[in-house]
Amino acid sequence: MAGSWAYQLSSPVAVVLDQYDNIYIMDATNNRIQRWRQGATYGVTLVSATMSSPRGIAIDGSGNLLVADSNYDRILLFPVYCRKLHYVS
């Protein structure tokens, strides 16, 4: 059944797999991108943004999610992986 709960999708339009076999699903009607780990029964929302007819998703070499937002004629970049912080004292 379609919906907005973590275990539901509504109009999934694109899927991509990362190097760790996580699945990223662009859920267009819910304006979100969810990550599903292998064997998971629910997804985790990584991105929730205003998009208009998002059509494509990709992962670049730095682990960022790239989204083709067709009606707004733009490419969105969302950092996914946290990089290690270096503190200077």
Side-chain angles (χ1 to χ4, degrees), residues 33 46-49 51 63-67 76-81:
I33 298 171
L46 297 180
V47 172
S48 180
M51 297 179 271
N64 301 305
L65 286 173
L66 301 164
V67 175
L76 302 169
L77 183 140
F78 299 101
V80 175
Y81 296 104

Side-chain angles (χ1 to χ4, degrees), residues 4 6-7 10 13 15 22-24 28 30 32-33 36 45 47-48 65 69-72 78 80 82-86:
S4 61
Y7 59 89
S10 183
V13 296
V15 175
N22 295 309
I23 300 171
Y24 296 82
N30 289 320
R32 67 184 180 184
I33 298 171
W36 291 69
T45 300
V47 172
S48 180
L65 286 173
D69 191 5
S70 64
N71 280 355
Y72 287 141
F78 299 101
V80 175
C82 295
R83 288 159 182 86
K84 186 176 181 181
L85 297 176
H86 297 280

Side-chain angles (χ1 to χ4, degrees):
M1 180 184 313
S4 61
W5 292 98
Y7 59 89
Q8 296 175 313
L9 300 169
S10 183
S11 299
V13 296
V15 175
V16 69
L17 194 68
D18 71 9
Q19 70 268 28
Y20 305 108
D21 292 331
N22 295 309
I23 300 171
Y24 296 82
I25 302 173
M26 180 183 296
D27 189 9
T29 301
N30 289 320
N31 285 314
R32 67 184 180 184
I33 298 171
Q34 284 194 302
R35 179 180 60 208
W36 291 69
R37 296 199 186 272
Q38 198 170 32
T41 57
Y42 63 91
V44 174
T45 300
L46 297 180
V47 172
S48 180
T50 301
M51 297 179 271
S52 181
S53 294
R55 294 288 178 226
I57 185 172
I59 299 175
D60 71 8
S62 297
N64 301 305
L65 286 173
L66 301 164
V67 175
D69 191 5
S70 64
N71 280 355
Y72 287 141
D73 298 319
R74 64 185 179 174
I75 302 293
L76 302 169
L77 183 140
F78 299 101
V80 175
Y81 296 104
C82 295
R83 288 159 182 86
K84 186 176 181 181
L85 297 176
H86 297 280
Y87 294 99
V88 178
S89 47

